[in-house]
Amino acid sequence: MTDVLIVGAGPAGLSAAATCARHGLSVRVVDEFMKPGGRLLGQLHEEPDGTWWNGIEEARRLYEQAVGLGASVACGVSVYDAARGEEGWVVSTTEGILEAPVLLLATGAAETALPLPGWTIPGVMSIGAAQVMTNVHRVRVGERGVIIGVNILAVAIARELQLAGIHVDRMVLPPRNPVTQEAASPYHVMQSLLRVAHLAPSAFIRYGSRLVKSDPLLRLAVRCYPAGGVKMWRMPIHLRTAAVEILGTSKVEGVRLARVSPDGEPLPGTEHDIPADFVCIAGGLHPLAELAAVAGCPFAYLPELGGHVPLHNERMETPLAGLYVAGNITGIESAKVAMAQGAVAGLAIAEHLGRLRDRTALADAIAHVKRVRRSATIQFHPEIGRGRADVERMFQEQGISGK
Amino acid sequence: MSATGRIEEHPILGPLPERSVVTFRFNGVPMQAYQGETIAAALLAAGIRTLRLHEEKGTPRGIYCNIGHCFECRVTVNGRTGIRACLTLVEEGMEITAGEILPTPLKKGGHPA
């Protein structure tokens, strides 16, 4: 019999699996991707201390640890429903029904779409798709690419494409429409980029990472942003140019650009076409939380956490008995935070099932999540701490049902 | 020169490991892939970006998210429709066909049955 069923073999799910297995629980992990590791698999970046964060190696380490402790990990299995039964959770998968008294959802994040004319032409893909194709499958996505959407994830992946010898011609804003909103505003994009400018070994820092503290200076910087963009790792980042249409019929042939005002309004007569054979759309990440919704879990909308998240407390419990969450389903943060949250979920589950002897371990693991969060080099949202405090408060107001 | 193909060497990840070759067919055309490659990766490496035509409009579609979320890459594999090319590994002898435009005879100007 399975004690704990975990959906998602990423950093959170695998850490939780190892922790549960270490406490003598029977653990089963399912994931629809063909390899364990989740979003870790694509990650490849240089840490501030000069070492490389190789997501493939991290994924292998977590997988071997979990399996070595006795957890079973099944890849290529999709989950499409979760319902509370008499004895516990009844989970519908492409391999049949699975049941367990405890269900942990560690489904991670999905990419947010930035629709624009031509975005269904073959050769247009999300930035994460290009990352996986490059680092996991090792297949070239094209010869000359344009990235639409300027954010920290896009900059990190553009660097990964360059490492693999894929030419990224430039990075531009999406067009202004009801979906793109702040992602199409030069002012808002500049503000969010400058918060991570300390990571960029480039002119970007000199251009104005200090300006972020002064709003009038920031507005001036957006007004005077160079027409040719500012280069980061030899790739121009344009904040006053937006893609208005992707060109091509059976495949991508180019991108139509236009200069935009500091508010993101296209300037008439500035349209021009550039060649490209692939386009990446970078709309950022949001929690992939549909399974929590079909399970009946209450949600909260917290932009600091990336959107709608299932209500949960710092022990990773949801208001539904036996339903836990960990990783990016609870809010967009780094893989290291996800791993730390997975350990918390594992310990909380072990306690719930009467297997935790050392109660201090859970408190220590919760404190560790906060330490990892504080020391993260990349904050996906500057107010992440406030978002975490808000969801905790909302959870306490709601309480746990069926306990 | 093909715009696509494989990334044989990588400065951090190292060279691609040796893998055995599998043979499959896409729209009836014999093709080769490496063991462990997804249908989407194998076809892209061969320069094929279009995986289906939109069922109603007939416009070409390829991969979008590459990790199973968007369902844009669905193809027919050994007679089973709606298979995600980005999550499915190529197997020896696989028959893969692109999704095609479906008849819309009741629609004005639609595709005939």
Side-chain angles (χ1 to χ4, degrees):
Chain A
M1 195 197 101
T2 304
D3 296 315
V4 189
L5 177 61
I6 299 176
V7 182
L14 290 177
S15 296
T19 307
C20 287
R22 196 177 284 124
H23 287 81
L25 296 169
S26 159
V27 188
R28 189 164 186 167
V29 186
V30 294
D31 191 299
E32 72 175 348
F33 203 62
M34 74 294 303
K35 291 177 183 179
R39 281 266 169 210
L40 264 179
L41 289 173
Q43 292 181 9
L44 187 63
H45 61 255
E46 206 171 357
E47 298 275 26
D49 66 3
T51 59
W52 282 87
W53 172 261
N54 181 341
I56 292 175
E57 289 300 322
E58 291 295 324
R60 182 177 301 146
R61 186 181 62 75
L62 287 174
Y63 171 75
E64 283 172 1
Q65 182 186 41
V67 170
L69 287 161
S72 102
V73 180
C75 288
V77 180
S78 304
V79 175
Y80 51 88
D81 193 21
R84 183 80 211 172
E86 292 283 305
E87 308 277 314
W89 289 93
V90 182
V91 176
S92 304
T93 80
T94 47
E95 300 285 305
I97 301 235
L98 301 175
E99 292 185 62
V102 170
L103 173 62
L104 168 64
L105 300 178
T107 45
E111 286 191 70
T112 304
L114 296 176
L116 73 151
W119 78 311
T120 59
I121 299 168
V124 182
M125 66 197 80
S126 74
I127 188 90
Q131 180 186 45
V132 169
M133 203 52 100
T134 303
N135 293 345
V136 181
H137 301 315
R138 299 283 291 269
V139 169
R140 302 175 66 86
V141 287
E143 284 290 297
R144 183 188 165 92
V146 172
I147 296 175
I148 301 175
V150 181
N151 53 56
I152 180 62
L153 184 71
V155 172
I157 298 177
R159 174 71 179 139
E160 294 176 13
L161 296 181
Q162 283 186 331
L163 270 177
I166 314 284
H167 177 64
V168 180
D169 183 64
R170 69 191 77 183
M171 189 180 277
V172 300
L173 293 180
R176 215 166 76 154
N177 65 37
V179 178
T180 57
Q181 296 183 13
E182 287 188 356
S185 153
Y187 172 76
H188 285 102
V189 173
M190 180 87 155
Q191 200 176 37
S192 62
L193 264 194
L194 287 176
R195 282 197 298 266
V196 293
H198 61 284
L199 295 172
S202 74
F204 216 87
I205 306 165
R206 297 190 291 279
Y207 190 72
S209 62
R210 285 181 299 263
L211 299 182
V212 72
K213 294 192 176 71
S214 155
D215 195 62
L217 280 178
L218 183 61
R219 285 182 191 281
L220 182 70
V222 172
R223 208 158 57 235
C224 306
Y225 196 85
V230 171
K231 282 191 181 177
M232 199 151 157
W233 288 302
R234 303 185 309 280
M235 176 191 66
I237 298 179
H238 293 260
L239 293 188
R240 293 288 304 281
T241 303
V244 293
E245 185 179 353
I246 299 163
L247 308 168
T249 45
S250 65
K251 60 182 182 9
V252 169
E253 282 159 21
V255 181
R256 181 158 295 156
L257 304 174
R259 299 275 298 147
V260 295
S261 73
D263 298 323
E265 200 64 55
L267 301 175
T270 63
E271 286 193 357
H272 56 288
D273 298 348
I274 58 163
D277 69 347
F278 75 97
V279 168
C280 295
I281 293 187
L285 298 169
H286 63 267
L288 184 62
E290 287 89 339
L291 273 179
V294 296
C297 185
F299 274 65
Y301 179 70
L302 292 161
E304 299 89 346
L305 301 183
H308 294 274
V309 295
L311 265 190
H312 62 279
N313 62 11
E314 61 183 7
R315 297 157 55 94
M316 302 290 121
E317 297 168 317
T318 72
L320 304 185
L323 184 70
Y324 291 74
V325 288
N328 272 358
I329 188 177
T330 72
I332 304 306
E333 291 195 77
S334 76
K336 289 177 186 172
V337 173
M339 282 182 218
Q341 287 180 319
V344 170
L347 291 167
I349 291 166
E351 187 185 66
H352 174 66
L353 295 175
R355 299 294 183 96
L356 187 67
R357 284 181 213 93
D358 177 14
R359 294 287 170 93
T360 59
L362 182 51
D364 289 349
I366 291 170
H368 182 62
V369 171
K370 290 175 180 162
R371 271 200 307 278
V372 175
R373 179 171 295 135
R374 274 198 302 274
S375 63
T377 41
I378 295 173
Q379 291 289 9
F380 283 87
H381 197 287
E383 299 293 338
I384 190 83
R386 192 177 68 197
R388 290 291 176 195
D390 282 351
V391 78
E392 182 73 30
R393 179 179 48 74
M394 292 162 90
F395 179 91
Q396 297 306 336
E397 286 165 8
Q398 169 102 15
I400 298 184
S401 62
K403 283 207 168 173
Chain B
M1 183 181 62
S2 168
T4 49
R6 292 176 182 82
I7 300 160
E8 302 284 349
E9 296 291 333
H10 191 288
I12 312 298
L13 301 173
L16 267 182
E18 290 276 332
R19 291 171 292 178
S20 56
V21 172
V22 293
T23 308
F24 67 102
R25 300 211 306 169
F26 181 65
N27 290 342
V29 180
M31 310 194 71
Q32 289 192 321
Y34 287 109
Q35 189 82 44
E37 282 186 329
T38 64
I39 295 171
L43 289 175
L44 180 59
I48 295 171
R49 292 192 187 274
T50 298
L51 299 177
R52 63 178 248 269
L53 300 180
H54 187 270
E55 287 79 353
E56 188 184 343
K57 293 177 191 149
T59 49
R61 301 294 171 97
I63 60 158
Y64 181 74
C65 81
N66 204 18
I67 55 167
H69 296 165
C70 75
F71 282 73
E72 276 289 271
C73 65
R74 53 192 190 268
V75 290
T76 299
V77 177
N78 297 337
R80 280 187 68 193
T81 57
I83 302 295
R84 287 170 283 180
C86 72
L87 290 185
T88 309
L89 300 183
V90 173
E91 288 170 16
E92 181 63 38
M94 235 179 201
E95 284 284 345
I96 304 162
T97 48
E100 287 178 33
I101 188 167
L102 298 177
T104 46
L106 301 180
K107 195 179 168 190
K108 202 176 171 184
H111 197 64

